[in-house]
Amino acid sequence: MSATKISFRSLKVTLIFPYVFLIILLTITIGLLSYWAGSNTVSRLSERLSLEMVERIGQAVDHHMYGSSAVLEAAFPVGLAASDDISTELDAMRTRFWTATTLHTDPNDYVYYGNLAGQSYGLKRLNNKEAEIRIKTDPIEPRRYLRLSSINGETTQVSIESSVFDPRTRPWFSSREKSANRHMWTSVYVDFSTQDLVVTRARQVLSLAGSFTGVVATDVSLLKLNRFISDLEVSEHGLAFLVESNGDLLAASNVPNVQKTSDGQMTRMDVNDSGNVMIKSTYQVLIPEIAKKENRSSVGTLTFTDKFGEKINVAYKHITDNAGLDWIAVIAVPNSDILTGVTQQVYMVLILGIVAVVLAMLLGLMILMRFTRDITSMAHAVMERGEPELSNITLQRTDEIGVLARSLMEMRRDLLTDSLTNTANRAALELFVSKLLKSDDQCPAPSFALLFIDLDNFKQLNDKYGHDKGDEALIEVAQRFAMLMRPHDLLARIGGDEFVVVLTDNISLPSAEIIKDRFETSLTQPLGCLLPNNTLQLHASVGVAIYPDDGRDLKSLIKAADMKMYKAKSDR
């Protein structure tokens, strides 16, 4: 008769649910209070962080651009007059230009000079030990490229330009300031070789007579500045950008600063071409605000609502210098990001509070969880019939539950264990095989092997040495068999001298035969319990049955293995 499946309501749910409900309610309350109390603080913190970020951009610009001034002064110190013909000053210029390009190699690795006569001299550092000199002493001839190995090293001609370079036509030459000591920045342009933005710092040089005779200049690549801004972590939808007052982009965290035209040329990107609504709307609001400031180098914040109704929080820094730099560093963050992006510190406080509540709940429930878990384990152990676990219930309790659990464990062990050999018994074998035979259409039961083992001459052993020695012999045989068992297999004693071994994991007949031989060989050595006067040798006759070839249930498999065992016994 099949057992009726009994269901019950978990004691753990009954006892824990009210407590958990109160903890969840408390957590939600704390979260709402934290959100309400911290919203103003978070907004102020977001504004402060944005201001700190634009200050970082301003410092990065200063650090990136400042060295160019020292480079120009090293190449042509203020007050140093230049000859109308550079041919007389080549050695001195090489020394000064080498020194100048040593000061700030990145980004100021190139210094050059051009004069009214159309002559030019430039030195570009290739590395710490080498440089390239670009020289033109005859106005109508192209520039020559020379390789210089050290400051006083020999020069080797590398190449000659195919076209004639005239420094007097270059923007850096024509944009000079009338004041001899005044530095000037040229317009930012796209370098044709690197496709990156470059700006040039220039200063005019006077002749011995005190009149204008040439311009010294150095290029500053904006590549690293662009990378710095691109790597800034603002917020999920926030952005950082650096823009000129005329709207031309210098760098942006999510927008390129150059674009390719239809004819394949690279040109600069302005705010209207960027395709980013936030950049465009922020710039349009920002320019009138900056125009109101009396101090050109100003720092501030503002808030506006874009055309989508999103509130945008802006921090900006107007970056200027005496050489004509007129850039604006901007951090723009949507208000929806304030509590989830820039101000993660406040959320961390909330998260830590939730974690603290969870930990308190776990600590408070520890004893109750253990109590209900042990009772649930015992309840399932009692109720499980079709799929009982063969492992013992391990409890370390010393109270009444522990006593009850150990009693239940002993009962299960007695029901499923052979009392003499401490192996599984027939009931355990039936349950073990029933698990293996469970299948459905999608997942059929895997094949397994059943070894039926019968001990030869065991009756003679009992008659000669007595039942006590016979029991000892069975125990020793079971121990030897157990040494051969794999972790997922089962050894069961089902009769006086009969054992059954179940081999799982889709084992094949050849593999089962090999294992069968091991069981037979395990009894070749005399039994220790009969020594030293043992004159009787036990042998094992083993029959092998494979599921499903030899049977589809335990009874038919045992019968098939038993028949093969008797055949093996008769063939011995």
Side-chain angles (χ1 to χ4, degrees), residues 132-322:
E132 181 180 78
I133 295 177
R134 303 171 183 178
I135 184 171
K136 175 184 175 180
T137 55
D138 189 335
I140 64 174
E141 292 183 355
R143 284 190 302 182
R144 292 177 295 129
Y145 284 62
L146 309 177
R147 181 65 57 90
L148 179 64
S149 59
S150 66
I151 187 171
N152 294 315
E154 295 294 329
T155 58
T156 304
Q157 182 166 306
V158 177
S159 62
I160 299 177
E161 285 185 336
S162 59
S163 58
V164 177
F165 170 79
D166 189 346
R168 295 167 295 186
T169 63
R170 311 305 294 175
W172 55 270
F173 193 93
S174 58
S175 64
R176 67 188 186 278
E177 177 66 24
K178 294 181 179 180
S179 173
N181 298 331
R182 176 75 182 274
H183 290 218
M184 288 295 296
W185 290 107
T186 66
S187 299
V188 180
Y189 59 94
V190 180
D191 185 87
F192 71 92
S193 60
T194 63
Q195 305 298 317
D196 297 318
L197 295 184
V198 175
V199 63
T200 300
R201 189 179 189 120
R203 178 176 63 80
Q204 75 171 359
V205 177
L206 302 181
S207 66
L208 294 173
S211 60
F212 167 70
T213 188
V215 175
V216 62
T218 183
D219 292 341
V220 180
S221 170
L222 303 185
L223 177 61
K224 284 199 171 182
L225 199 58
N226 184 44
R227 288 176 179 172
F228 171 79
I229 294 177
S230 297
D231 293 339
L232 285 177
E233 296 183 3
V234 183
S235 68
E236 183 178 359
H237 303 101
L239 54 86
F241 63 95
L242 185 66
V243 64
E244 292 189 85
S245 294
N246 64 2
D248 288 334
L249 279 177
L250 296 164
S253 57
N254 59 356
V255 174
N257 55 9
V258 294
Q259 60 182 337
K260 182 177 289 188
T261 61
S262 57
D263 58 358
Q265 298 297 317
M266 299 300 294
T267 61
R268 297 194 58 190
M269 179 93 71
D270 64 24
V271 292
N272 294 319
D273 297 331
S274 66
N276 189 291
V277 176
M278 188 182 299
I279 290 180
K280 182 177 179 181
S281 57
T282 301
Y283 174 77
Q284 291 173 346
V285 173
L286 192 58
I287 290 302
E289 182 70 18
I290 292 178
K292 300 176 184 178
K293 303 289 185 180
E294 296 182 0
N295 182 8
R296 297 186 69 241
S297 297
S298 57
V299 179
T301 60
L302 61 88
T303 301
F304 71 95
T305 302
D306 64 14
K307 65 179 183 179
F308 302 107
E310 177 72 46
K311 185 178 179 182
I312 308 297
N313 300 274
V314 178
Y316 65 89
K317 179 178 178 63
H318 193 193
I319 304 171
T320 60
D321 68 0
N322 294 329

Side-chain angles (χ1 to χ4, degrees), residues 433-544:
V433 172
S434 68
K435 279 189 174 183
L436 295 179
L437 293 176
K438 282 192 173 181
S439 64
D440 50 43
D441 295 338
Q442 288 75 27
C443 184
S447 64
F448 60 89
L450 185 143
L451 308 185
F452 190 92
I453 306 173
D454 183 75
L455 301 181
D456 301 335
N457 304 327
F458 183 72
K459 184 177 184 302
Q460 291 87 330
L461 186 150
N462 260 339
D463 294 342
K464 183 174 182 179
Y465 296 102
H467 289 289
D468 290 341
K469 284 295 182 181
D471 290 345
E472 292 180 14
L474 286 174
I475 294 172
E476 187 171 345
V477 168
Q479 291 173 348
R480 292 190 184 185
F481 288 170
M483 295 291 291
L484 303 175
M485 297 299 297
R486 302 180 306 170
H488 299 98
D489 298 337
L490 177 73
L491 171 64
R493 179 177 174 234
I494 63 171
D497 60 350
E498 295 175 339
F499 293 85
V500 169
V501 175
V502 181
L503 305 176
T504 60
D505 299 333
N506 282 311
I507 192 166
S508 62
L509 180 58
S511 299
E513 291 288 348
I514 294 174
I515 297 175
K516 163 197 165 184
D517 294 340
R518 294 175 185 171
F519 278 91
E520 292 175 344
T521 305
S522 67
L523 297 184
T524 57
Q525 295 297 323
L527 296 178
C529 64
L530 303 180
L531 294 176
N533 300 317
N534 180 24
T535 60
L536 184 62
Q537 179 67 46
L538 275 183
H539 298 284
S541 295
V542 184
V544 181

Side-chain angles (χ1 to χ4, degrees), residues 25 130 193 350 400 430 521 527 559 570:
L25 182 62
E130 291 183 304
S193 60
L350 180 59
E400 292 84 349
E430 292 175 352
T521 305
L527 296 178
K559 182 178 180 180
S570 62

